[in-house]
Amino acid sequence: MIKAILIFNNHGKPRLIRFYQYFAEDMQQQIIRETFHLVSKRDDNVCNFLEGGSLIGGSDYKLIYRHYATLYFVFCVDSSESELGILDLIQVFVETLDKCFENVCELDLIFHMDKVHYILQEVVMGGMVLETNMNEIVAQVDVQNRMEKSEGGLSAAPARAVSAVKNMNLPEIPRNINIGDINIKVPSLSPF
Amino acid sequence: MALKMVKGSIDRMFDKNLQDLVRGIRNHKEDEAKYISTCIDEIKQELKQDNIAVKANAVCKLTYLQMLGYDVSWAAFNIVEVMSSSKFTYKRIGYLAASQCFHEGTDVIMLTTNQIRKDLSSPNQYDTGVALTGLSCFVTPDLARDLANDIMTLMSHTKPFIRKKAVLIMYKVFLKYPESLRPAFPRLKEKLEDPDPGVQSAAVNVICELARRNPKNYLSLAPLFFKLMTSSTNNWVLIKIIKLFGALTPLEPRLGKKLIEPLTNLIHSTSAMSLLYECVNTVIAVLISLSSGMPNHSASIQLCVQKLRILIEDSDQNLKYLGLLAMSKILKTHPKSVQSHKDLILQCLDDKDESIRLRALDLLYGMVSKKNLMEIVKKLMLHMDKAEGTTYRDELLTKIIDICSQSNYQYITNFEWYISILVELTRLEGTRHGHLIASQMLDVAIRVKAIRGFAVAQMAMLLDNAHMLTGNTQRNGICEVLYAAAWICGEFSEHLKDPLQTLEAMLRPKVATLPGHIQAVYVQNVAKLFATVLRGQEGVPDRQVAQETSQLLIDRLPLFVQSANLEVQERASCILQLVKYVQKLQQKEVQVAEEVTALFAGELNPVAPKAQKKVPVPEGLDLDAWINEPPSESESEDEKPKAVFAQEEQRPTRPRHPEVDEKELARRREARKQEQANNPFYIKASPSSQKVYAETPGVEHIPVVQIDLSVPLKVPGMPMSDQYVKLEEERRQREKAERKKKKEKKRRKDKCGRGHRAESGGESEEDITPAHTVDIVTEEMPENALPSDEDDKDPSDPHKALDIDLDKPLVDNEKLPVRAHRPPDALKSPVEGGEGEGVAQEPKKKSKKDKKEKEKRKSKERKKSKEEKKKNKHGQERGEEPEAGSAEEPAAMAAAAEATTPPAVTTAEVSDLDFWLSSAPVPSNKKEAAVPVPEVVPDAAPVSEPDEPKDAELEEPKSSKHKKKKQKKEKEDRDKKKKKRHHRHHSDGGRAESVRNGEEEEEEEPLPPMSNYCLLAENPYIKMSYDIQGNLQDGSQVVVSVIFENKSSSSSFLKCMEFNVLDSLNSKLQRPEGASPHEAVTIPFQLPPGVSNEARFVFSVQSIVMPQKLKGTLAFIVKSEDSSTHEKLDFKLHFTCTSYMITTPCYSDAFAKLLESGDLKASSVRLEGVSMPFHHLLARICFHHHFSVVERIDSCASMYSRSIQGHHVCLLVKTVDQTVSIDAKCDEPSLLENVLQEIKQTFAKC
């Protein structure tokens, strides 16, 4: 079982949190802080597994994470999950994001947290791995997005126009920061 | 009004959306909290509006704020509103928000039940998907109970997208509502063989998760998983299954044996490291469970260790980490194989990655021996100096202590060395493990008598230098050591060289800054030291020292009397008064030393950690009984409590009985020793019986020398343990030489005896003897200590509730609660009978019963008679056919049919496992030659059947069901054959009994056997029966399953069977690709005599409104011993309209809507003289005509079915006195007419 999925940036700012077990909001923030503290001090060339998150689970649980450019993707899993499998799953998830957002970067996650959630929902459900085939995930996400579009989306056209105007008033529009080498080679893991 | 609306929409334009909110937060970095609070106010306004789009937008923003740590539970009701929007976009937002912030305590959750149910049955699969995903995050016991049935129905949804979600969510439902596990399990099992890999993977996932917690209930699935393992190519599935096997093998060693080979093959063949790693892990688990008795298991271990070494040597840190992790599992059972890689592991200790160093540390535990302990610990001490982070250093510290103290200090040859290591560890800054060091000091000093002198000297030094330890308040953890030091110095003060000095050290004013519990120990032990000093001064004519000591105490103790700590205060004032009294006596020149010492006479022995718990409850003592009668009751039973105490007293006196003679005592001692030896919790004296060496000359004086050497230690802060390494080396050499000498001289006999004892004590590889008399005092245990050690399982573990016997047949009332619109008559209606709560207690009671039954069955098996067998077989047939029906129908129909079904199924499964696992050679007969036996060919499916036409299997979602049926058939055949020779495991004996049992439990009479298979054609050689089913996936296809049975009397084979049909315009047989339109389809199996098998053929159809008949021919060769002939058999396939119907569940509201829509044409039919009970009637319609019951009220029921092309057929069945009237509606009148005619025929037949 996966107990939690956390995405935060190099400064520990949460970009997506998904707990599969209930924690109150302040506890969630504490967990994020602790996890960030544990993960951020590790070099990039050490292993991706980590024990000792004291807030979630206990000895049976491990943190498995990957670091892409400015973002950490952390999965907290128990011993029923294969460590290398989860690493691969993170890769699949990130590659899916890359496909859905076309060259994903941190800003995509910041402004479209809901969409990232919808993608994640097709990968992991209730703490269990739902689908590992990227094409299948992308296909399902696409169909649902098309449905949304056909319904006119959340904000209909006029609202969007207004929001465009509002955009222009912004002192600075953050520039895209590319995650860069998203296709990090997964060593010695044949694609599932 | 219109104006208001316009205004509303203009307002809306200026609402922030999620992106605006995020942007705003980013632009208000300085006053983020303030900005967000204004945003929340805006959101509250937006939520008050009627426009659902505005609400959805607001909820979406709330979801973002929730991530930032804001509590948004106040908006829970609005979230529910958004969830219930009909638009997918909003619904999705609502469910997302709910999944992020709903939990069991959210009270609005109970409002969602109906909404979720509606979404689950939505025609739009994505609505259903969103609901399932959301539900998986916030399912509560109530939701689980109310929706379990709906979700179970979705497990057979046409879309794999929904199926896999429904399967996965079942796990959550089981957790919250354990009663659903048993009713849902058969279907879950079916999903293991789902044609869609995603669904299959989900089912494996769920079962693995279930089995991980309660593996024994899933052993019977092992053959199925084995088959999946050998056939699947999906690494995810493989990993899960292999992990599952790892959990199952400890329960069934035979399974392990079976697994070794395929796993080893996988290890050799796979290129995926994740898979390789899991295989190695499971092989290790298997080897652990086998412990011994595998001829080639050393080879497997070698293979594992080899592969792990490759992983560890890999440059990828992840693999290195995992390699070490797996290695530590091998270590537990096969330490030798790991020890050979010591170099590698020690190397990992220097790795830059902390995770890896920690793993390597774990392994070190098994690397030590008497020979290298000192060396390894020295290395660790070096690391300790270098270690930067406190966590790693603490870990090192605990590991050093673990390694040294493991198995009762087995590897320590020189305790002086160990004490000095402990003293060195106290110099560690900022550790949390002061208490650990302290307890080690205490333990060693108490249990190793010989070391006390040395220990006391060291402790005195620690006390003297206490300021080193306490100087910094930050290093609080380490001052725990002073607790041990003070106690040791006090308790064993007779070993102190200069007690007075220590006494002074303990009375320094600085002591008052220590934690209270340590001060208390200080004060108490000051008194002990005082006694020692007095005694030391006894004979001395000069009284000054003694008097000065008293004065010292009187001066210093008031400091403690003022302590804020009660314990310290109390002890100090007691002792102060005592000393004052002593001083008075001293002034009168009275000898007091004797009396003061008497205060602390007697030795304290160590007590085993669980001793108290293990005191057995004396017979007749009821701890739950009242000691005093509860006040309200009469006083007549007042005697009772006294009796309790009397009995209790009796016990302890008995062992001390004075009349026991010496012999008896010796015998008892022996018995006790025996008992202690068998008691794993009794810490025994070291097996090496060090006493032996007590007299050995040359050993005795060494400690003296060393103590002298340790004088320079008085300079604190100097490492000292190192010298022992050198000394030990010298000592060992000397000893060796001496032993040689002794051997040459061949001394007295008792030497031999000793040598003998040493050997039997397991002194193992090295002849290293401990440096000095080490008498490890055993810890005390109460007499008759209970050996058991109750594992304290967490009673709140949700998985405990899922420990449910799944092989047990389902009983009548055990099914998922079905929503009832109108309160149905519970007694009469099997459809909606058992509501959740009532069932709750049921399973447990029954499982006991069932166990007993199983035992009974076993004993009966032996006496099995032929007649019984016949009966049983009958029962089995009866059982299996309704099962087919019931599996198809969602819960509603299931109950009635299942009551008769399960016994056969489950017993067959249990014996299946035994059969599958038994490695005994299977008696060869022709049938089994055709069915590959797994022992021979490991990658063939264990209970496999000859391959079926691929296309049929691919298209047919329900194939598993058919397979099961067929397997049973095969088994039956086998049984028939073996009846005379073998009493097989197949617990047929129990079947009759359990069927009967099922009947007893049932309130309504059971259904008669039903089968959809009807005769197709027959001749003296072969019999064909068939059944036609619609294809769920493809609206233009039906699947014809034909059972071929070889009827020929003599031993003739049927082979080269070819099946051909004359296609009509409307219906065509699907032939393999590339075949011409009239070519026959070859049946991919042969039939040995008396055997039957099933093949499936897919037909494509265009119009389904009319029944049709197709002519066909089966051509085959009959091969007997001497001749072979070509034969032909013509047949007519009858495609009834019923066969185009698919059992589809329908909810009564949807049903009502359908009827109201007015698109349907009506028709009706009357059946006269139907005498069967109403529920049989319904069951028949359900079974033969693929309907499902929508609702039933007394003798009236509505039913629904759908054709493969999506025509709805609705029935209203009423019965009055043997007359059944069926009113029907359908959007296709001719189809309806035909279906009704067919129903009429069905009932005309019986």
Side-chain angles (χ1 to χ4, degrees):
Chain A
M1 284 277 279
I2 300 169
K3 200 153 197 181
I5 296 171
L6 309 174
I7 305 177
F8 44 73
N9 71 359
N10 285 347
H11 306 292
K13 283 245 185 239
R15 293 305 176 212
L16 176 131
I17 55 172
R18 172 77 276 185
F19 287 90
Y20 294 103
Q21 182 197 343
Y22 174 69
F23 289 103
E25 275 77 11
D26 47 349
M27 190 62 180
Q28 293 184 352
Q29 295 299 314
Q30 213 174 321
I31 291 171
I32 297 168
R33 274 195 298 275
E34 191 204 55
T35 314
F36 171 68
H37 183 73
L38 283 173
V39 166
S40 61
K41 65 179 182 199
R42 292 173 65 84
D43 285 347
D44 271 349
N45 54 359
V46 299
C47 72
N48 298 89
F49 314 121
L50 196 61
E51 292 138 83
S54 57
L55 293 173
I56 317 185
S59 60
D60 196 32
Y61 283 85
K62 266 200 191 83
L63 296 176
I64 299 176
Y65 73 97
R66 271 185 187 279
H67 188 195
Y68 293 101
T70 58
L71 291 175
Y72 285 98
F73 289 73
V74 187
F75 280 45
C76 176
V77 303
D78 70 8
S79 59
S80 73
E81 301 292 344
S82 147
E83 289 89 347
L84 294 173
I86 293 292
L87 268 185
D88 208 56
L89 185 73
I90 299 178
Q91 179 74 18
V92 167
F93 178 48
V94 174
E95 280 180 32
T96 312
L97 289 177
D98 197 41
K99 265 196 181 173
C100 293
F101 285 108
E102 287 161 20
N103 232 343
V104 69
C105 66
E106 194 187 336
L107 283 176
D108 290 321
L109 273 77
I110 296 173
F111 287 105
H112 303 282
M113 184 202 71
D114 48 345
K115 301 220 165 50
V116 181
H117 265 296
Y118 300 144
I119 295 168
L120 182 61
Q121 281 175 358
E122 298 305 324
V123 184
V124 179
M125 186 178 126
M128 285 187 286
V129 179
L130 180 68
E131 184 60 68
T132 52
N133 179 345
M134 196 172 18
N135 296 331
E136 174 74 16
I137 300 166
V138 172
Q140 298 296 356
V141 170
D142 280 350
V143 174
Q144 296 183 50
N145 287 342
R146 246 178 282 136
M147 273 179 66
E148 185 173 319
K149 231 173 228 167
S150 72
E151 286 179 353
L154 179 55
S155 39
R160 218 170 286 154
V162 170
S163 111
V165 173
K166 274 188 277 185
N167 270 357
M168 284 165 64
N169 296 337
L170 279 177
E172 48 162 340
I173 299 170
R175 258 161 277 117
N176 265 19
I177 307 157
N178 264 345
I179 275 191
D181 183 17
I182 202 92
N183 292 317
I184 289 176
K185 196 184 126 242
V186 186
S188 53
L189 241 186
S190 79
F192 282 97
Chain B
M1 184 65 200
L3 194 73
K4 199 179 164 192
M5 270 177 68
V6 170
K7 193 170 168 276
S9 71
I10 289 175
D11 276 352
R12 224 193 101 203
M13 293 200 330
F14 292 99
D15 285 343
K16 287 194 191 80
N17 62 14
L18 175 62
Q19 281 74 31
D20 300 329
L21 174 77
V22 175
R23 220 168 272 132
I25 293 174
R26 286 164 71 83
N27 285 331
H28 291 79
K29 285 222 166 80
E30 325 75 45
D31 51 351
E32 192 183 291
K34 199 177 143 210
Y35 178 78
I36 290 178
S37 77
T38 59
C39 287
I40 289 182
D41 288 340
E42 282 171 26
I43 289 170
K44 281 183 178 161
Q45 288 304 317
E46 288 166 33
L47 287 175
K48 278 182 193 147
Q49 294 192 34
D50 290 333
N51 190 331
I52 193 74
V54 177
K55 272 188 191 164
N57 184 39
V59 165
C60 184
K61 286 189 279 183
L62 281 178
T63 313
Y64 183 83
L65 294 179
Q66 195 272 344
M67 178 179 78
L68 299 183
Y70 290 85
D71 178 19
V72 299
S73 54
W74 49 269
F77 185 75
N78 303 105
I79 293 174
V80 175
E81 281 180 306
V82 176
M83 275 162 74
S84 52
S85 157
S86 57
K87 270 197 175 181
F88 173 75
T89 315
Y90 306 146
K91 193 183 285 298
R92 187 153 77 150
I93 290 169
Y95 273 103
L96 174 62
S99 71
Q100 287 291 76
C101 65
F102 281 12
H103 55 94
E104 278 191 27
T106 310
D107 42 7
V108 291
I109 277 197
M110 59 190 187
L111 302 177
T112 59
T113 316
N114 274 313
Q115 179 57 42
I116 296 173
R117 179 177 284 133
K118 213 174 113 194
D119 289 336
L120 289 183
S121 54
S122 156
N124 180 348
Q125 60 161 326
Y126 292 101
D127 282 353
T128 313
V130 159
L132 282 173
T133 309
L135 186 61
S136 72
C137 293
F138 57 79
V139 61
T140 62
D142 284 341
L143 281 179
R145 191 193 58 230
D146 294 341
L147 297 172
N149 192 45
D150 304 67
I151 297 171
M152 196 161 113
T153 318
L154 290 178
M155 281 166 72
S156 325
H157 198 273
T158 49
K159 295 284 194 313
F161 175 74
I162 297 303
R163 281 211 302 277
K164 70 184 176 195
K165 288 194 172 191
V167 168
L168 268 193
I169 203 180
M170 274 324 268
Y171 177 66
K172 294 276 175 165
V173 172
F174 295 151
L175 278 185
K176 300 287 179 190
Y177 179 56
E179 287 83 357
S180 60
L181 177 55
R182 280 173 40 72
F185 195 70
R187 188 165 300 186
L188 184 61
K189 217 164 87 181
E190 229 168 74
K191 294 295 145 203
L192 285 176
E193 294 179 295
D194 196 278
D196 183 84
V199 181
Q200 197 185 38
S201 154
V204 169
N205 217 334
V206 170
I207 293 186
C208 287
E209 203 61 50
L210 288 168
R212 204 165 71 91
R213 310 293 182 153
N214 303 299
K216 64 176 188 309
N217 298 336
Y218 300 85
L219 260 181
S220 60
L221 290 182
L224 187 56
F225 276 116
F226 191 88
K227 191 175 134 196
L228 281 176
M229 182 177 83
T230 45
S231 61
S232 176
T233 53
N234 180 343
N235 278 355
W236 271 97
V237 170
L238 279 176
I239 286 176
K240 283 279 174 193
I241 293 176
I242 287 167
K243 264 183 173 287
L244 173 69
F245 277 133
L248 291 182
T249 42
L251 303 171
E252 181 55 89
R254 286 179 296 172
L255 176 64
K257 278 185 198 167
K258 226 183 166 68
L259 284 172
I260 286 272
E261 199 182 325
L263 285 179
T264 345
N265 291 343
L266 263 178
I267 290 178
H268 283 301
S269 64
T270 185
S271 62
M273 275 299 176
S274 47
L275 188 56
L276 172 92
Y277 173 67
E278 295 305 338
C279 286
V280 169
N281 251 335
T282 298
V283 170
I284 293 169
V286 167
L287 292 174
I288 289 172
S289 75
L290 288 175
S291 67
S292 65
M294 265 294 278
N296 59 345
H297 90 209
S298 67
S300 307
I301 272 288
Q302 277 314 313
L303 177 68
C304 288
V305 175
Q306 241 170 44
K307 288 281 174 187
L308 289 180
R309 188 176 173 110
I310 293 172
L311 289 187
I312 296 173
E313 281 172 337
D314 199 290
S315 61
D316 184 354
Q317 297 282 315
N318 291 332
L319 298 182
K320 193 176 279 221
Y321 173 90
L322 293 175
L324 289 168
L325 196 64
M327 207 61 126
S328 65
K329 285 178 196 152
I330 301 187
L331 185 68
K332 280 176 202 133
T333 47
H334 301 82
K336 285 254 170 66
S337 346
V338 182
Q339 266 158 14
S340 53
H341 300 284
K342 204 175 103 189
D343 54 323
L344 192 63
I345 288 153
L346 287 178
Q347 207 180 308
C348 288
L349 272 185
D350 298 324
D351 200 283
K352 60 185 182 306
D353 189 347
E354 192 178 297
S355 301
I356 286 175
R357 286 200 305 257
L358 286 173
R359 291 281 75 81
L361 268 184
D362 282 349
L363 280 169
L364 220 48
Y365 189 82
M367 304 274 105
V368 292
S369 63
K370 285 188 179 171
K371 225 182 251 166
N372 63 13
L373 175 71
M374 286 181 160
E375 184 193 331
I376 286 180
V377 171
K378 187 178 160 192
K379 193 167 170 163
L380 292 181
M381 294 295 280
L382 276 178
H383 274 282
M384 188 96 93
D385 287 340
K386 282 190 286 181
E388 61 290 355
T390 48
T391 15
Y392 179 58
R393 223 169 33 183
D394 279 358
E395 196 61 33
L396 269 171
L397 189 152
T398 47
K399 273 285 135 43
I400 290 178
I401 289 179
D402 275 359
I403 288 172
C404 292
S405 63
Q406 69 173 304
S407 30
N408 216 17
Y409 307 105
Q410 190 189 346
Y411 298 119
I412 294 184
T413 51
N414 188 334
F415 276 92
E416 288 178 15
W417 165 81
Y418 185 46
I419 293 267
S420 42
I421 286 284
L422 288 175
V423 171
E424 265 177 63
L425 288 176
T426 63
R427 287 190 212 115
L428 205 61
E429 276 185 45
T431 179
R432 304 180 275 121
H433 291 298
H435 61 276
L436 195 62
I437 305 175
S439 70
Q440 279 292 298
M441 286 173 168
L442 287 171
D443 199 44
V444 172
I446 294 168
R447 292 174 59 191
V448 187
K449 272 187 183 152
I451 202 67
R452 283 178 190 167
F454 180 77
V456 166
Q458 294 290 312
M459 295 303 122
M461 216 152 48
L462 268 184
L463 288 176
D464 221 14
N465 297 312
H467 59 279
M468 299 284 295
L469 302 176
T470 56
N472 188 345
T473 41
Q474 297 280 293
R475 302 142 131 201
N476 250 344
I478 204 68
C479 65
E480 287 293 324
V481 172
L482 293 176
Y483 177 98
W487 190 87
I488 291 170
C489 284
E491 185 65 22
F492 307 119
S493 52
E494 68 268 20
H495 298 287
L496 267 181
K497 281 236 172 72
D498 188 356
L500 197 53
Q501 193 195 355
T502 311
L503 188 64
E504 271 179 326
M506 286 170 74
L507 286 169
R508 284 183 198 140
K510 206 141 193 223
V511 172
T513 60
L514 290 173
H517 67 283
I518 298 179
Q519 284 188 53
V521 169
Y522 263 63
V523 171
Q524 189 73 15
N525 286 287
V526 159
K528 290 182 197 165
L529 281 174
F530 178 58
T532 316
V533 173
L534 284 189
R535 211 173 45 182
Q537 296 296 324
E538 196 74 314
V540 184
D542 178 16
R543 305 276 157 128
Q544 211 189 342
V545 179
Q547 280 172 1
E548 273 172 9
T549 315
S550 310
Q551 194 53 47
L552 177 75
L553 260 70
I554 290 169
D555 290 345
R556 299 279 175 85
L557 278 176
L559 178 71
F560 297 102
V561 176
Q562 291 158 12
S563 168
N565 188 302
L566 276 184
E567 181 85 15
V568 180
Q569 198 187 55
E570 191 179 7
R571 289 190 191 191
S573 56
C574 260
I575 287 163
L576 183 61
Q577 290 314 310
L578 179 77
V579 176
K580 279 182 181 161
Y581 182 65
V582 167
Q583 197 185 32
K584 235 184 262 169
L585 291 177
Q586 275 176 335
Q587 278 156 4
K588 288 181 199 159
E589 310 239 324
V590 184
Q591 297 278 355
V592 287
E594 198 70 27
E595 278 86 356
V596 177
T597 317
L599 284 174
F600 306 107
E603 200 177 344
L604 295 173
N605 278 335
V607 176
K610 285 182 182 165
Q612 179 74 44
K613 215 167 132 191
K614 292 195 177 299
V615 178
V617 179
E619 234 174 278
L621 172 64
D622 180 7
L623 290 174
D624 294 328
W626 284 91
I627 293 177
N628 294 312
E629 275 307 304
S632 62
E633 279 186 29
S634 71
E635 290 163 53
S636 62
E637 280 178 83
D638 247 1
E639 295 292 301
K640 219 178 181 178
K642 278 177 199 163
V644 169
F645 282 117
Q647 267 168 323
E648 200 178 33
E649 262 163 35
Q650 248 174 10
R651 289 264 145 187
T653 51
R654 219 202 299 153
R656 285 183 231 133
H657 215 275
E659 281 157 1
V660 185
D661 58 336
E662 274 305 306
K663 252 188 196 171
E664 172 69 8
L665 272 178
R667 195 186 57 75
R668 282 193 191 167
R669 202 170 298 129
E670 214 40 55
R672 195 168 62 233
K673 265 186 197 160
Q674 194 63 38
E675 191 185 283
Q676 288 168 358
N678 294 334
N679 181 351
F681 301 104
Y682 197 96
I683 302 182
K684 291 151 217 131
S686 169
S688 48
S689 60
Q690 285 96 339
K691 272 178 198 154
V692 173
Y693 300 97
E695 305 117 83
T696 330
V699 179
E700 225 169 9
H701 59 265
I702 292 175
V704 182
V705 178
Q706 280 171 355
I707 288 173
D708 285 345
L709 269 175
S710 66
V711 173
L713 287 177
K714 288 213 168 184
V715 185
M718 221 183 72
M720 55 193 179
S721 60
D722 286 359
Q723 66 199 22
Y724 287 98
V725 180
K726 223 183 279 169
L727 275 173
E728 182 72 12
E729 207 55 45
E730 285 168 22
R731 188 182 67 81
R732 283 179 195 173
Q733 296 241 318
R734 222 176 315 153
E735 219 160 71
K736 235 186 203 168
E738 253 167 59
R739 205 171 297 131
K740 258 187 197 165
K741 240 190 261 168
K742 274 179 217 160
K743 248 186 187 172
E744 281 163 23
K745 287 186 181 175
K746 276 208 168 179
R747 285 222 200 145
R748 273 162 293 173
K749 255 190 183 174
D750 64 78
K751 270 269 138 71
C752 295
R754 259 177 246 146
H756 214 74
R757 263 160 74 188
E759 260 169 46
S760 61
E763 261 280 6
S764 76
E765 79 286 4
E766 316 121 33
D767 287 327
I768 302 165
T769 56
H772 39 71
T773 324
V774 185
D775 176 24
I776 296 186
V777 181
T778 52
E779 295 177 330
E780 287 195 336
M781 271 287 201
E783 301 273 320
N784 325 322
L786 299 167
S788 71
D789 186 35
E790 308 83 33
D791 49 335
D792 335 68
K793 259 195 184 174
D794 182 10
S796 64
D797 183 6
H799 301 281
K800 238 184 147 184
L802 287 181
D803 191 356
I804 295 168
D805 184 3
L806 295 163
D807 294 332
K808 191 171 56 104
L810 283 169
V811 289
D812 189 19
N813 53 358
E814 208 177 354
K815 60 183 194 302
L816 297 174
V818 179
R819 186 173 52 145
H821 272 279
R822 273 151 272 177
D825 185 347
L827 254 182
K828 278 201 165 182
S829 155
V831 181
E832 287 158 340
E835 278 294 333
E837 316 278 26
V839 195
Q841 281 299 320
E842 204 60 37
K844 274 184 193 165
K845 253 190 259 165
K846 292 224 165 110
S847 76
K848 258 188 200 165
K849 210 176 177 182
D850 203 60
K851 257 184 212 161
K852 267 186 210 159
E853 229 165 69
K854 264 185 201 161
E855 275 162 41
K856 246 193 251 166
R857 267 179 231 160
K858 262 188 195 164
S859 64
K860 274 208 172 175
E861 246 171 275
R862 285 174 217 133
K863 300 178 208 158
K864 223 190 290 171
S865 73
K866 271 186 196 171
E867 283 159 41
E868 231 179 49
K869 266 214 161 165
K870 261 183 208 164
K871 220 197 291 173
N872 295 336
K873 232 193 304 147
H874 201 73
Q876 191 185 1
E877 260 161 20
R878 258 165 28 126
E880 83 189 55
E881 279 144 6
E883 146 91 352
S886 70
E888 240 164 294
E889 283 133 28
M893 206 0 242
E898 258 162 359
T900 51
T901 321
V905 181
T906 53
T907 48
E909 254 164 28
V910 170
S911 55
D912 245 8
L913 181 71
D914 271 348
F915 169 64
W916 182 72
L917 288 170
S918 69
S919 41
V922 184
S924 66
N925 67 32
K926 282 175 185 170
K927 171 62 196 164
E928 257 147 12
V931 180
V933 180
E935 271 85 4
V936 190
V937 191
D939 50 358
V943 267
S944 74
E945 58 280 347
D947 283 345
E948 286 153 26
K950 273 265 161 68
D951 52 346
E953 193 165 297
L954 279 176
E955 310 286 351
E956 172 59 84
K958 284 176 194 159
S959 59
S960 63
K961 200 176 52 212
H962 292 286
K963 275 182 204 158
K964 248 184 259 157
K965 228 187 263 183
K966 202 173 356 144
Q967 281 164 21
K968 251 173 262 150
K969 273 240 161 73
E970 283 169 12
K971 221 171 291 143
E972 235 173 87
D973 292 327
R974 256 181 271 159
D975 276 4
K976 217 187 279 170
K977 295 210 136 193
K978 283 173 202 152
K979 217 185 283 173
K980 286 165 202 160
R981 287 177 292 159
H982 272 278
H983 287 291
R984 286 279 312 282
H985 273 57
H986 292 241
S987 44
D988 297 15
R991 273 185 206 143
E993 195 183 75
S994 37
V995 168
R996 221 180 299 127
N997 198 13
E999 284 168 7
E1000 275 162 19
E1001 280 163 12
E1002 221 198 3
E1003 281 169 304
E1004 288 175 327
E1005 55 180 301
L1007 284 169
M1010 290 191 281
S1011 170
N1012 266 340
Y1013 282 83
C1014 46
L1015 186 67
L1016 182 60
E1018 195 173 14
N1019 71 7
Y1021 302 106
I1022 192 165
K1023 181 179 162 186
M1024 297 159 69
S1025 37
Y1026 77 113
D1027 178 31
I1028 305 176
Q1029 300 263 342
N1031 189 335
L1032 280 173
Q1033 253 105 53
D1034 192 332
S1036 63
Q1037 286 186 345
V1038 288
V1039 178
V1040 180
S1041 319
V1042 185
I1043 298 176
F1044 300 90
E1045 188 186 349
N1046 186 344
K1047 281 180 42 183
S1048 52
S1049 50
S1050 60
S1051 55
S1052 41
F1053 258 78
L1054 300 185
K1055 49 190 251 185
C1056 298
M1057 290 188 282
E1058 291 188 330
F1059 181 92
N1060 203 359
V1061 172
L1062 275 175
D1063 294 347
S1064 72
L1065 274 178
N1066 193 34
S1067 313
K1068 290 187 172 64
L1069 173 64
Q1070 298 261 299
R1071 296 176 167 85
E1073 243 169 86
S1076 72
H1078 303 294
E1079 211 171 287
V1081 175
T1082 313
I1083 294 164
F1085 50 78
Q1086 302 184 345
L1087 286 180
V1091 167
S1092 63
N1093 206 338
E1094 182 174 352
R1096 253 162 271 157
F1097 306 94
V1098 179
F1099 285 79
S1100 60
V1101 288
Q1102 282 173 359
S1103 163
I1104 59 160
V1105 297
M1106 299 284 278
Q1108 307 188 40
K1109 283 184 182 167
L1110 286 187
K1111 274 189 186 174
T1113 321
L1114 181 78
F1116 54 97
I1117 297 174
V1118 182
K1119 192 175 186 312
S1120 56
E1121 282 127 36
D1122 40 2
S1123 65
S1124 61
T1125 50
H1126 273 276
E1127 294 289 339
K1128 255 188 174 177
L1129 178 61
D1130 291 333
F1131 56 82
K1132 254 187 208 164
L1133 271 172
H1134 190 168
F1135 289 85
T1136 56
C1137 281
T1138 292
S1139 51
Y1140 302 127
M1141 306 306 294
I1142 294 173
T1143 313
T1144 316
C1146 183
Y1147 293 108
S1148 42
D1149 41 0
F1151 188 77
K1153 230 180 248 171
L1154 198 62
L1155 289 180
E1156 283 164 12
S1157 68
D1159 304 336
L1160 308 183
K1161 313 279 183 303
S1163 174
S1164 67
V1165 69
R1166 280 176 88 82
L1167 312 171
E1168 303 283 349
V1170 178
S1171 57
M1172 66 179 71
F1174 189 57
H1175 74 277
H1176 284 192
L1177 180 105
L1178 292 185
R1180 267 178 195 280
I1181 298 178
C1182 285
F1183 183 71
H1184 291 297
H1185 299 282
H1186 310 164
F1187 275 83
S1188 64
V1189 177
V1190 178
E1191 208 171 334
R1192 176 186 159 182
I1193 299 144
D1194 293 340
S1195 56
C1196 178
S1198 49
M1199 306 180 89
Y1200 175 78
S1201 184
R1202 198 168 59 87
S1203 77
I1204 52 174
Q1205 294 182 354
H1207 305 288
H1208 304 284
V1209 184
C1210 308
L1211 300 184
L1212 182 67
V1213 186
K1214 278 181 260 174
T1215 175
V1216 183
D1217 303 331
Q1218 304 214 344
T1219 307
V1220 180
S1221 68
I1222 302 179
D1223 296 312
K1225 280 189 174 181
C1226 176
D1227 39 12
E1228 179 55 61
S1230 52
L1231 175 70
L1232 180 64
E1233 212 50 53
N1234 289 317
V1235 170
L1236 286 180
Q1237 281 314 311
E1238 282 160 18
I1239 292 178
K1240 206 168 175 180
Q1241 271 170 24
T1242 308
F1243 287 98
K1245 272 186 223 158
C1246 52

